[in-house]
Amino acid sequence: MTPLTESGARSHVSGVCFKIGPPRLVGVEVEWFVHDDRCPSRPVRPELLHAALESLPLGGPDGVSLPSGSRLTLEPGGQVELSSPPATGLLACVEDTRRDLTALRAAFAAQGLRLTGTGTDPYARPRRMVLDHPRYLAMEHFFDSAGPWGRIMMTGTASVQVCLDAGEADGPHAVERRWRLAHRLGPVLVAAFANSPTLDGSSTGHRSTRQAVWSRMDPTRTLAPEPDHGDPREAWAQYVLDARVLCVRRPEGLPWTAPTGLTFRDWIRGAGERPPTLDDLDYHRTTLFPPVRPRGHLELRMIDAQPGDGWVVVAALVTALLDDPVAADAALAALEPLERTDGPRPPRSEVWRRAATLAMADPELRRATLTCFAAADAALGRLPGAGQLRTVVAEFAERYPARGRCPADDQLDALRSGTRSTPPEEAAP
């Protein structure tokens, strides 16, 4: 086997993580907490989780036969993630995902379970690992050495992720432009959709506690790549090599724990127990969690899970701003005042911290957010058949950013009034 070299690793990462072509495909990954419908604060028995999943007609060549072919994943703390297949355009993505979510909700309801969309678990339930896969055990060991944040992330957070094509070599859909816009949008997306103001049943002082948790984890895998690389492909390749190795796959029965402090670059240079392979490099990439992760397409990871069908607003806003060149220009102009290059990288920068803490109560973020929503509204008006989506996005803009609010404020109002008796899934926009 040919030894893996640094130059070979950089070339491989650059090639597989940025697929060049005109924007066409859209996908979402939607995570949910699972609660007992009768007593939401009670831990859900694992056998009920598995019974709900096993009642779905899983099978087929990809192991999935939900109506539209979405893939289901059980996360370490018992969260359920639905990953839609790539769809040709926003409208098809929304239609396909809604169809599969209907089947998923029905399967869980039959077991007396409810899917709850919020960035952190709103109830003071024991956080525990329900999976004992060696990947998650190694992850737990890795993160536990630096405080509670990794364990909270694994067992107590949930998100909406939007996946879009990386873009073209040049022109209005150039990779560099889409990469820049996706990162600049980050604080607006955190703030507008902040939906995790509590942890263990108490207010934390953050509108997006989930984002605050992510910002405190291992910086080699959660910060954005260095901004001074002109080519995002080179920036990402260097980032992958400089990230610490989280786990090393070993034969069955052996732990996957990685040597402390080992980066993938160190591993290539001979510091590991054996030479790394291309498969090791590809697996290592799956353990990196920056705000925007290139996986052939761009995966935006900074957004809290939303109640009900709130994920539709997220998908529509992001897709409209990135895929419509006129909307992209308007968004970049609105977001430029938020950009700072002399401080910590996202999500530890000052504007990202304000987004997680103040959200729409921050005047500068609110102005940028309203401009982005207006640009997306115009873009959806140019998209044939998007009338209903446009209405849903406009209603969200009026209910939240136009009033200086975000979904987290609904949770805080209920917490203050003592009226929260059901999961915030009931507060769907």
Side-chain angles (χ1 to χ4, degrees), residues 15 75 95 106 150 196 212 228 320 350 375 379 406 409 429:
E75 296 297 306
E95 182 180 353
S196 51
D228 53 355
E350 182 258 348
C406 62
D409 291 307

Side-chain angles (χ1 to χ4, degrees), residues 62 64-72 82-86 96 99-100:
D62 298 321
V64 175
S65 59
L66 287 172
S68 299
S70 294
R71 179 171 55 87
L72 295 178
L82 185 148
S83 301
S84 75
D96 291 348
R99 187 181 300 117
D100 285 352

